[in-house]
Amino acid sequence: MKSLRERAADGLQVGDWFTIVRCFSDDDIRQFAQISRDYNPVHCDARYAKLRSFKAPIAHGLLTASLVTEIGGQIGWLATGMNFVFKRPVYAGEQITCHWLIADIDDRGHAKAEVRIMNAEGITVMEATTSGLLPGTEERECLKQMLSEGDLTNGAASPMN
């Protein structure tokens, strides 16, 4: 099975879809709070989260949304816009699956994608749309060269859907 990056190097088309699965740990949530400086107690304090009717601290919405950027980064998508709708909380230890579909590409390589992230029960936790620029001919050739050299700068280089 080809990696996301290999698929991008081959050229992307309307109808191409990508799937990744993640499970954020308590430490991931803490590190995201440090990086983003978003210390909302709903992410950091169990007592406060329960007051907000959550069973435990929840992952940051933008941490959940990082699955959109993980796929975008793997396929060389240069985002020009993103819209997120957060529908349900995501908890540490909860497996979530991101489904990304390229819905439209114009003749200049500008594209739109529809994204849905679901929990293990199949409940949608986030919906998103993103627009961006696809890798052109030169960028795809560069991706092919990077792949032939072992894709050394790709920290997520592993075969995925």
Side-chain angles (χ1 to χ4, degrees):
M1 183 180 307
K2 288 187 175 186
S3 72
L4 301 180
R5 179 113 352 132
E6 289 168 323
R7 291 175 62 193
D10 289 343
L12 300 170
Q13 310 209 3
V14 170
D16 283 350
W17 60 272
F18 312 95
T19 301
I20 58 170
V21 178
R22 291 283 302 272
C23 182
F24 297 117
S25 67
D26 287 319
D27 193 50
D28 291 330
I29 294 169
R30 276 191 294 278
Q31 287 182 32
F32 191 84
Q34 290 174 333
I35 291 168
S36 67
R37 299 183 58 83
D38 177 353
Y39 292 104
N40 185 328
V42 77
H43 306 303
C44 308
D45 186 273
R47 296 167 302 169
Y48 189 88
K50 286 181 183 176
L51 289 172
R52 286 290 195 167
S53 300
F54 299 115
K55 62 183 180 183
I58 60 173
H60 299 73
L62 291 179
L63 178 58
T64 301
S66 72
L67 276 68
V68 176
T69 63
E70 180 177 347
I71 291 173
Q74 288 301 307
I75 65 173
W77 179 279
L78 182 59
T80 58
M82 294 183 187
N83 181 37
F84 304 113
V85 178
F86 305 104
K87 302 183 98 34
R88 297 280 189 276
V90 173
Y91 297 98
E94 180 179 27
Q95 179 176 297
I96 54 176
T97 303
C98 179
H99 301 282
W100 167 306
L101 171 70
I102 296 179
D104 186 53
I105 303 172
D106 71 14
D107 57 354
R108 298 174 301 151
H110 295 202
K112 293 181 181 171
E114 298 169 358
V115 182
R116 179 173 304 238
I117 300 177
M118 300 184 315
N119 65 20
E121 290 78 41
I123 298 169
T124 299
V125 299
M126 192 193 88
E127 293 175 342
T129 56
T130 182
S131 56
L133 299 171
L134 296 175
T137 304
E138 290 180 20
E139 291 91 354
R140 288 196 311 272
E141 288 304 315
C142 184
L143 288 173
K144 289 176 186 176
Q145 184 175 4
M146 292 166 58
L147 287 160
S148 73
E149 296 166 351
D151 207 6
L152 302 176
T153 61
N154 186 358
S158 63
M160 298 180 203
N161 291 337

